[in-house]
Amino acid sequence: MDSFLPSPDCDTISKTYNGQIDSHLIQKTNEGYREILPNLPRGKGWMTEHLVQYQGVWLTPNFALKGLMWVQDHFKPRSTDIFLATFPKTGTTWLKALTFATVNRNRYGFADHPLLTTVPHGCLPFLEACPNDLDGFPSPRLLSTHIPYTLLPNSMTVNQSCRFVYICRDPKDVLVSKWLFMNKLRPKELAPISLEEAFELFCQGISHYGPYWDHVLGYWKASLETPEKVLFLKYEELKEEPSVVVKRLGEFLGHPFSLEEVSKGVVEEIVKLCSFENLSNLEVNKSSVLKLSTQIIIDNRHFFRKGKVGDGKSYLTDEMIKRINEITSEKLLGSGLVFGS
């Protein structure tokens, strides 16, 4: 059975588990959700009216919070699971495409590859979006998540040999990309969020799955402690030397490129297939949509804006840049991590 499985309808999945109604577990999660929700701190939302803070992380009240609670309470990982972990707008779409193409390179030809007709998010579903159906997926399962490492259950981080691939990006680019993306998804009845508002919220850590710096440091520290389980990548390095990073990715995932493959240009073919220029110009990514829930339906074209390094500086003032740089220096002090290539 192919590991390529289009993203299923999450509303259906929320009611079924291997074809059976799993009302008990659904009810248990919903009861816990309703119990804690009224008492959670609130902050201004980017895409929704507000975010809530749960276990130190800011989440959308319905979709993300329920998904996290489900994962923490009920998800059963396998030792062969591979998770692509990202903070929103750090290169998630690109990393999904590269990983899927690398792992499945002997299964699909480049001329009729699934990525030519399916958005990358349809090849690697979000763990917190579609939890119930995952037992039916073949091993090794390729899944993605925005959940911070510190909030993942021990069954994923300690008790199993699951592997994680994480990518970080300069916070200035993350902020601007996130602001532009979320405003496209913001309901018409809510006024657009200004760059100044988004900047203040981001600096305070009030953004989806934020604070950003905490999210990055969680996976960074895990990569230092267990490098065989967590591969830590930088968006800027991927842009600068994509072929080098793809080779590292293949090695880490247990799918190393042979000398013959390298000499035949397989790595370069994968880079070309998954490039921003190629994916953004495909018809599926111009006209189709991704349905995460009945409330969250995203035009595929919104996943492809510029894909450039340093574009955040085109929007931020000198004062904004200075403040984010100062926060970054303070947050990363002593960690050994430096953003950029």
Side-chain angles (χ1 to χ4, degrees):
M1 184 176 182
D2 288 352
S3 63
F4 166 68
L5 290 172
S7 182
D9 184 308
C10 297
D11 292 324
T12 300
I13 290 174
S14 68
K15 301 176 183 176
T16 60
Y17 186 72
N18 287 340
Q20 301 295 322
I21 299 298
D22 198 355
S23 58
H24 174 68
L25 293 183
I26 293 173
Q27 182 179 356
K28 183 178 179 181
T29 298
N30 287 341
E31 287 176 352
Y33 170 79
R34 287 192 294 267
E35 181 179 346
I36 68 169
L37 184 60
N39 301 316
L40 295 179
R42 290 189 175 191
K44 184 178 178 65
W46 298 50
M47 180 179 67
T48 54
E49 185 175 2
H50 61 267
L51 297 174
V52 293
Q53 189 180 49
Y54 179 68
Q55 297 181 355
V57 175
W58 291 94
L59 305 163
T60 52
N62 190 0
F63 180 78
L65 176 57
K66 276 189 178 179
L68 171 61
M69 294 177 67
W70 180 275
V71 170
Q72 291 181 333
D73 293 342
H74 306 300
F75 177 62
K76 298 178 181 178
R78 301 173 189 166
S79 60
T80 55
D81 284 345
I82 297 170
F83 299 96
L84 303 190
T86 61
F87 187 87
K89 311 313 296 177
T90 57
T92 306
T93 306
W94 192 16
L95 184 60
K96 283 188 175 186
L98 289 171
T99 301
F100 182 80
T102 297
V103 171
N104 293 288
R105 64 182 183 273
N106 294 322
R107 184 167 291 156
Y108 304 114
F110 291 112
D112 57 351
H113 202 280
L115 286 171
L116 297 176
T117 55
T118 306
V119 69
H121 299 285
C123 298
L124 279 82
F126 281 104
L127 172 63
E128 53 269 39
C130 306
N132 282 354
D133 195 45
L134 298 180
D135 265 14
F137 278 43
S139 295
R141 295 182 297 189
L142 291 177
L143 305 169
S144 68
T145 184
H146 286 320
I147 298 175
Y149 191 83
T150 53
L151 266 61
L152 293 171
N154 286 341
S155 59
M156 293 176 64
T157 60
V158 178
N159 302 332
Q160 289 281 20
S161 300
C162 306
R163 281 172 290 177
F164 295 83
V165 179
Y166 186 80
I167 189 167
C168 75
R169 190 179 187 183
D170 187 292
K172 296 182 288 295
D173 290 349
V174 175
L175 161 61
V176 169
S177 182
K178 185 179 179 68
W179 166 62
L180 292 169
F181 179 77
M182 292 300 176
N183 260 340
K184 294 174 183 176
L185 307 184
R186 194 169 170 85
K188 293 181 179 179
E189 58 268 24
L190 297 178
I193 184 171
S194 69
L195 177 58
E196 290 73 22
E197 287 179 294
F199 173 79
E200 288 298 330
L201 291 170
F202 189 85
C203 288
Q204 294 171 33
I206 306 176
S207 63
H208 302 75
Y209 299 94
Y212 176 61
W213 297 271
D214 294 351
H215 198 287
V216 172
L217 285 173
Y219 282 94
W220 170 251
K221 292 175 182 177
S223 73
L224 297 179
E225 294 170 358
T226 55
E228 72 282 0
K229 293 180 62 173
V230 182
L231 175 64
F232 192 95
L233 302 175
K234 296 181 181 181
Y235 185 88
E236 293 78 12
E237 292 178 346
L238 183 54
K239 287 289 291 185
E240 187 174 328
E241 295 184 304
S243 295
V244 173
V245 176
V246 168
K247 289 178 185 177
R248 285 180 60 198
L249 185 63
E251 187 75 29
F252 176 79
L253 296 176
H255 294 268
F257 290 90
S258 66
L259 292 176
E260 182 180 3
E261 286 180 308
V262 174
S263 65
K264 288 184 177 180
V266 175
V267 177
E268 285 72 21
E269 284 292 332
I270 289 177
V271 171
K272 180 181 178 181
L273 170 70
C274 302
S275 68
F276 178 89
E277 292 73 21
N278 184 56
L279 293 182
S280 62
N281 284 303
L282 296 174
E283 185 60 32
V284 66
N285 295 325
K286 288 182 176 181
S287 59
S288 297
V289 300
L290 177 72
K291 182 180 180 182
L292 293 179
S293 71
T294 53
Q295 292 81 28
I296 304 178
I297 301 175
I298 306 173
D299 289 345
N300 289 347
R301 60 188 173 86
H302 292 331
F303 293 114
F304 304 91
R305 189 177 67 88
K306 289 184 178 181
K308 294 183 177 180
V309 171
D311 188 56
K313 294 179 180 178
S314 302
Y315 294 82
L316 303 175
T317 64
D318 291 341
E319 292 75 14
M320 289 176 170
I321 292 173
K322 179 181 179 182
R323 183 175 171 190
I324 287 189
N325 287 343
E326 288 176 347
I327 294 173
T328 298
S329 297
E330 179 183 340
K331 295 287 187 179
L332 301 188
L333 182 64
S335 68
L337 174 62
V338 177
F339 284 116
S341 56

